[in-house]
Amino acid sequence: MDTEKLDFIVAGVGGQGTILASDILAEVGVEAGYVVKKSEVHGMSQRGGSVESHVRWGKDVVYSPLAEKGNVDYLLGFEMLEAARWRDFVAPWGTVIVNEHKITPSSVNLGHAIYPERERINDLLKKQSSKVTWVEATLIAKKLGHPALAGVIILGALSKLIDIGPGVWLSVVERLVPARFVELNREAFLAGRNKQQQETSA
Amino acid sequence: MKKLLSGNEAVAYGAYLAGARLGSAYPGTPSTEIMEEFSKYPGVYAEWSPNEKVAMDVAVGASYAGKRAFASMKHVGVNVAADSLFYASYTGSRAGLVLVSADDPGMHSSQNEQDSRNYAKFAKVPMLDPADSEEAKLFMVRAFEISEQFDTPVVVRTTTRISHSRTLVDIADLDSTSEELEDAEPTQFEIEPSKYVMVPANARLRHVIVEEKLKKLTEFAAETELNRVEPGNSELGIITGGVSYQYAKEIFPRATFLKLGMAYPLSKKLFNSFAERVEKILVVEELDPFYEEYARQIGLKVLGKEVFPLTGEFSPTLIRECGYKSGVLKEETLNLTAVTSGSNEAKEPLPLRPPMLCPGCGHRGIFYALQKLRAVVLGDIGCYTLGAAPPLNAMHTVGCMGASIGVVHGVDKARVKNRTAAVLGDSTFFHAGIAPLMNIVYNRGVSTTIIVDNRITAMTGHQANPGTGSTLQGDSAPVIDLEKLCRGLGIEKVETVNPFELSNVLKVLKEHMDSPEPSVIIARYPCVLNIKERKPALVVDSDLCSDCGTCLRIGCPSLLKEEGHVSIDPLLCNGCGYCVQVCPRNAISSKNNN
């Protein structure tokens, strides 16, 4: 690949597996010959709060581990509201892949705030970028037997848009997930990849 | 070979490469993984100490004994360890001695955002400030060398975006040192009272040596490769260090840089020669104007905090916006998308998603009961600090590790009409709760202390502590018995409860808080994330449920209210059954009625 740089943000809710997914994304970049940096926050923010990882691939050099607003090539939203929260970071040429999945924050359950409608979220994302893809990753993951597979399904969908063969992605997935879940993750990755294929050809 | 390592992994790797034999730490975000990673290397000894002061003393001891050693902690841990850092500054080290302080600008997981660079100046010790994982590794090696060369402890300071960022690190030399480490022999302790016994007569002499050492280190700062000038155009010069360097390189790619790897001491010679190269100087540093004040003190004209904020963490977005607003950054270099889209959030606020106590967390039972009893709760630092958040709202002061017990005693001595209790966790009690509890007994206090004992140091990711029966390196260990410890301190009224038993918890809490003697309640339930406990999810019977919302007041993330109706998210619910006890209509059960 000869792209100068690719910036990704993986946004979701603590416990959804955004850290594993962004680790995979970072390692795939290294395998593909990029200089890679990645940043996230651990600790208190993991207890069901908003979490985001920045992953940056650069051809020659990457300085900041954090991506810049308006410059992100791919926003991966593991949850609808969290995708909307990071929309400002998406570049005009960027792509949003958003999981068709809602986790209601406490502020909404207590009646202090209203969770935006799906169409409202779609509009907000579309205002930033014309390339918005919705994937029913959690639904597919549940069918495969575990909702935590949603992250790898989204990576599968992303892989179709990036010029790196699925073999590279799968080898990294196999390296980073626990041995007994390798087969399941493989299946999930390919399910996401096929899903995106259908979307792209549609 | 290059490998992606977090800053914390790289610090541990660097310590290992430097031949550190001993590491000691107390867990604290963003520093925790340093000691976890170090503990895995062959031939090293690593421990979780009960607090940072103990960790620092342990590392000092190993250094005195002739083995390279380091302690790691979060920035506020250095406050706890400061007494030890300051004497170690006077005694110096025998073998290399390093303290790693992980600062948390932006307070992702901390009660303040103090800038540790001030500690280096205050304690009169050198400080290194790496800007990525590769430097974190290299600077650890250099820190041990500098420690021995100048006979001083050295502080290596990271920040959250160094500690928790993964960047490429050269790991070529991993195998060569592993053998060398295996055969560490016991050494003869070298007795040298004038250096190690800090009674006034010796300390007075040592202070002179400390000042001489600082002079030599200042000369060193002018020459060392840890600081470097990166040539660029002469219009703008940037003085920076740490992760701010990375942001500034991105936003001002053509400027001339003075990149400081050594945050203290600073060199007048170096600053002045840099100033001669450029027309204008901009200081880019998170938090305090540490470099800026030095530059002004030696008479340089610089821009700093009038451009960038004193508070919060930096980012490339922030550097660009501040640069643009102040006119330092010219308009044509501006990424317009970034700035024009910046106001979205204000126009359309999205619901916030703060962290919450996990589904099935035992702490919930204590806070819900305390709220029902309208108690004033003097709180502490840990997962349970989330008891302060709505809807529980059951923690009313939080300051630092162990403060809860001293504060409740002060409140009770000053006398208030409210019922009061201190709440802190098992690990926090071991850290800084024992002395203030003893103080309550000694000074005839009456306060109630609640130890929420989840059998682990949970918030930082499940580290062992003196109550868990295991050590950092996986050995079994004696379990410090909390009940016996409290009784040993002189508390006679000690009671242990299961926090999920609502009616009993209410009874015991009331009785203790109303009692005229000092007491301890141990609310014991293991962290559900740690023991991975999960029972079948509960369901709401919509025929019985009146949507009164009482269950929502326990603040469980799995309880949802959508379009006026309450339901339970089966993906989140862990089946603890606490909500079953609060539901006035018995509408929640484990029976699946679908």
Side-chain angles (χ1 to χ4, degrees), chain A residues 13 23 26-27 30 34-45 47-50 52 56 63-71 79 81-82 84-85 87-89 92 101-110 113-116 120 124 128 138 142 147, chain B residues 4 29 33 108-109 132 160-161 164-168 243 245-247 249-251 313-317 320-321 335 337-338 341-342 344-345 348 350-356 358 382-383 385-386 390-391 458-459 461 529 552 557 559-562 571-572:
Chain A
V13 177
D23 276 339
E27 295 290 348
V30 174
Y34 283 101
V35 175
V36 173
K37 286 192 178 181
K38 166 187 163 167
S39 185
E40 69 225 350
V41 164
H42 309 171
M44 194 166 225
S45 18
R47 300 284 178 263
S50 301
E52 81 290 343
R56 309 193 68 203
Y63 288 111
S64 167
L66 293 175
E68 194 182 350
K69 216 185 246 185
N71 256 318
E79 199 270 352
L81 175 60
E82 297 311 316
R85 206 183 298 287
R87 67 190 184 281
D88 284 1
F89 275 70
H101 181 56
K102 174 176 171 180
I103 301 174
T104 321
S106 58
S107 52
V108 171
N109 287 325
L110 297 169
I114 294 165
Y115 195 103
R120 182 80 200 117
L124 287 172
Q128 196 74 16
T138 300
K142 277 194 247 172
Chain B
L4 279 177
T29 311
E33 299 86 357
H108 298 282
S109 209
D132 61 18
T160 300
R161 296 295 175 186
H164 287 168
S165 290
R166 304 179 84 79
T167 70
L168 290 167
V243 77
Y245 159 79
Q246 309 288 4
Y247 305 150
K249 280 297 272 191
E250 193 130 337
I251 305 302
E313 77 171 353
F314 285 4
S315 66
T317 308
R320 190 184 297 281
E321 286 176 0
N335 178 342
T337 325
S341 65
N344 274 359
E345 203 63 26
E348 188 104 25
L350 295 173
L352 294 176
R353 192 189 301 274
M356 289 179 88
C358 303
C383 282
T385 309
L386 295 170
M459 177 56 92
L529 291 188
L552 297 175
L559 284 157
L560 314 175
K561 188 168 189 179
E562 289 179 304
L571 289 184
L572 294 175

Side-chain angles (χ1 to χ4, degrees), chain B residues 283 285 289-297 302 304-306:
Chain B
V283 185
E285 55 186 333
F290 191 77
Y291 301 144
E292 181 185 343
E293 282 177 358
Y294 180 77
R296 289 186 198 280
Q297 184 199 321
V302 299
K305 291 299 170 186
E306 60 269 69

Side-chain angles (χ1 to χ4, degrees), chain B residues 188-389:
Chain B
Q188 190 68 37
F189 191 95
E190 290 176 35
I191 292 169
E192 196 181 343
S194 61
K195 176 162 156 61
Y196 296 119
V197 180
M198 284 307 95
V199 293
N202 292 337
R204 282 181 200 116
L205 299 174
R206 292 299 302 179
H207 188 188
V208 177
I209 294 171
V210 167
E211 297 299 337
E212 284 165 4
K213 161 190 92 184
L214 274 183
K215 254 187 222 158
K216 286 183 199 145
L217 278 159
T218 305
E219 287 163 23
F220 175 80
E223 310 301 332
T224 175
E225 84 292 349
L226 293 163
N227 301 323
R228 65 169 186 263
V229 173
E230 295 178 0
N233 67 34
S234 60
E235 280 167 47
L236 182 65
I238 292 181
I239 299 176
T240 185
V243 77
S244 300
Y245 159 79
Q246 309 288 4
Y247 305 150
K249 280 297 272 191
E250 193 130 337
I251 305 302
F252 302 99
R254 283 178 290 277
T256 300
F257 276 73
L258 173 56
K259 193 270 187 198
L260 295 168
M262 195 165 181
Y264 188 80
L266 298 168
S267 160
K268 186 175 174 178
K269 196 172 139 195
L270 182 65
F271 272 53
N272 278 335
S273 70
F274 179 72
E276 280 164 21
R277 300 174 72 119
V278 293
E279 291 158 32
K280 181 161 71 178
I281 296 176
L282 180 65
V283 185
V284 185
E285 55 186 333
E286 274 176 327
L287 304 175
D288 294 344
F290 191 77
Y291 301 144
E292 181 185 343
E293 282 177 358
Y294 180 77
R296 289 186 198 280
Q297 184 199 321
I298 62 170
L300 296 179
K301 198 168 164 259
V302 299
L303 286 169
K305 291 299 170 186
E306 60 269 69
V307 177
F308 303 109
L310 283 160
T311 59
E313 77 171 353
F314 285 4
S315 66
T317 308
L318 179 131
I319 302 290
R320 190 184 297 281
E321 286 176 0
C322 292
Y324 175 57
K325 274 183 209 152
S326 65
V328 178
L329 200 60
K330 291 181 186 66
E331 202 164 348
E332 56 265 35
T333 66
L334 180 69
N335 178 342
L336 284 168
T337 325
V339 174
T340 50
S341 65
S343 53
N344 274 359
E345 203 63 26
K347 275 184 267 168
E348 188 104 25
L350 295 173
L352 294 176
R353 192 189 301 274
M356 289 179 88
L357 291 174
C358 303
C361 176
H363 298 335
R364 180 170 288 109
I366 291 301
F367 290 117
Y368 183 69
L370 285 166
Q371 185 207 45
K372 274 187 97 73
L373 296 171
R374 297 174 193 282
V376 168
V377 179
L378 298 315
D380 226 298
I381 306 277
C383 282
Y384 48 87
T385 309
L386 295 170

